[in-house]
Amino acid sequence: NAGVTQTPKFRVLKTGQSMTLLCAQDMNHEYMYWYRQDPGMGLRLIHYSVGEGTTAKGEVPDGYNVSRLKKQNFLLGLESAAPSQTSVYFCASSDRTKELFFGEGSRLTVL
Amino acid sequence: GNSVTQMEGPVTLSEEAFLTINCTYTATGYPSLFWYVQYPGEGLQLLLKATKADDKGSNKGFEATYRKETTSFHLEKGSVQVSDSAVYFCALETRDFGNEKLTFGTGTRLTIIP
């Protein structure tokens, strides 16, 4: 019962470094999402995808890029990390019923 | 645009107390409404949902009714347990250039004391 798997679970970066978070789902879902969770802010949508090869901007897309080359994978990239990107990142997937299935989160610290 | 406003936390209750967490929404049309729960160290998971006005969603003793007249979707439970300690998020469906996605509230942290 894998569901939604995020890697890595923890990462520490220095300002200006780059990294990629990987999300994989095994439920054949069309929709995939990247959210960030910050204290007092709830979950904010960064980018999302409605199908293989498609991506769209969410509420807070600046400083992030995404790709959906395969239906089961959704990658979130930070080209030049900043301390403001310190957060917990959650990937989710869904079909058209809109029940989102979430991964366990990836905690990123940017020094 | 569509948005949700949740009761500010944290909320601390004794075991077997009655729980209400308020959620109100602003939306065009009649979007589906959801409550998600996040247990410590985990991702969010769906608790219940309602897809149209007057619908009642229920699960694990929790209930919420879609009230169009008050634009609300308050979460209730008659007798809480220590295991209900978690963060609860209200969410609504939002349509963005034909694509549907969820907009979440800020979350309400609930702690139940034995």
Side-chain angles (χ1 to χ4, degrees), chain B residues 18-82:
Chain B
F18 183 85
L19 168 71
T20 300
I21 300 178
N22 291 340
C23 172
T24 57
Y25 68 89
T26 302
T28 53
Y30 302 105
S32 295
L33 299 172
F34 306 80
W35 277 101
Y36 278 79
V37 59
Q38 183 181 28
Y39 298 105
E42 299 183 9
L44 282 71
Q45 55 186 274
L46 179 66
L47 180 60
L48 53 84
K49 69 178 182 181
T51 57
K52 60 183 187 295
D54 300 324
D55 263 4
K56 177 185 283 189
S58 61
N59 186 24
K60 299 181 180 180
F62 290 89
E63 294 184 339
T65 301
Y66 191 156
R67 302 278 188 205
K68 182 181 64 174
E69 60 277 8
T70 55
T71 61
S72 65
F73 192 55
H74 304 324
L75 183 68
E76 297 181 336
K77 186 173 185 182
S79 177
V80 293
Q81 306 301 313
V82 172

Side-chain angles (χ1 to χ4, degrees), chain A residues 50-65:
Chain A
V50 300
E52 180 179 324
T54 74
T55 63
K57 293 180 180 180
E59 301 171 63
V60 289
D62 294 343
Y64 305 95
N65 56 75

